[in-house]
Amino acid sequence: MANVFVSHRKQDSSLAERLARDILASGHTVWFDEDVIGVGDSIVGEINDGLTGATCLVLCYSDAPDGVLSPWTSREWMTALHRQLEGHGVRILPVRFGGSAPAILVDLKYADLAKDWDVGVAQLLKAIR
């Protein structure tokens, strides 16, 4: 089973939480900020630990009013990309709630949950393996 980091913007929290529950129900370990980061915890430290242990980073993006990605999600996927390029076994798996992927990731096939949630989740779970 995979260790999955779910990266998302606050505006997409409810959809990302639903997705995290679907991934968890399939037997994978899921890092989801609202489940892991508690009052008094170091936000940066917890995110660092989650990214370091991840075998997959699920990058959730949408077309919310303030843009496709936040500074936090950008740092998360860029860290995962760097780790991938350095030879660590991490995969970036884009998930579309709406909008378009960042230009550098546009060549990656995404799971389109905006079009059909169940089909998109099934495709994502197949990619996670």
Side-chain angles (χ1 to χ4, degrees):
M1 289 295 150
N3 189 355
V4 181
F5 186 104
V6 177
S7 178
H8 66 93
R9 295 176 319 141
K10 277 293 177 211
Q11 296 89 331
D12 298 324
S13 286
S14 61
L15 291 173
E17 182 174 14
R18 179 180 172 195
L19 178 59
R21 301 293 166 249
D22 288 347
I23 297 168
L24 188 62
S26 72
H28 300 288
T29 301
V30 176
W31 190 99
F32 184 69
D33 62 349
E34 294 175 17
D35 292 339
V36 176
I37 303 172
V39 173
D41 289 345
S42 167
I43 295 168
V44 173
E46 293 294 339
I47 291 172
N48 185 62
D49 290 347
L51 289 169
T52 300
T55 54
C56 297
L57 179 129
V58 172
L59 176 61
C60 303
Y61 61 90
S62 72
D63 53 3
D66 63 344
V68 174
L69 298 174
S70 72
W72 279 107
T73 57
S74 293
R75 289 297 295 250
E76 291 164 357
W77 75 258
M78 287 180 202
T79 297
L81 178 60
H82 182 266
R83 292 189 72 236
Q84 184 181 71
L85 295 172
E86 291 289 314
H88 299 278
V90 63
R91 297 180 63 211
I92 299 172
L93 304 173
V95 170
R96 181 181 175 272
F97 295 151
S100 300
I104 196 168
L105 300 177
V106 77
D107 70 313
L108 298 179
K109 182 175 172 142
Y110 57 86
D112 193 346
L113 276 64
K115 183 176 180 181
D116 187 318
W117 185 274
D118 293 333
V119 169
V121 169
Q123 291 172 339
L124 177 64
L125 292 175
K126 183 177 178 183
I128 292 172
R129 294 184 207 108

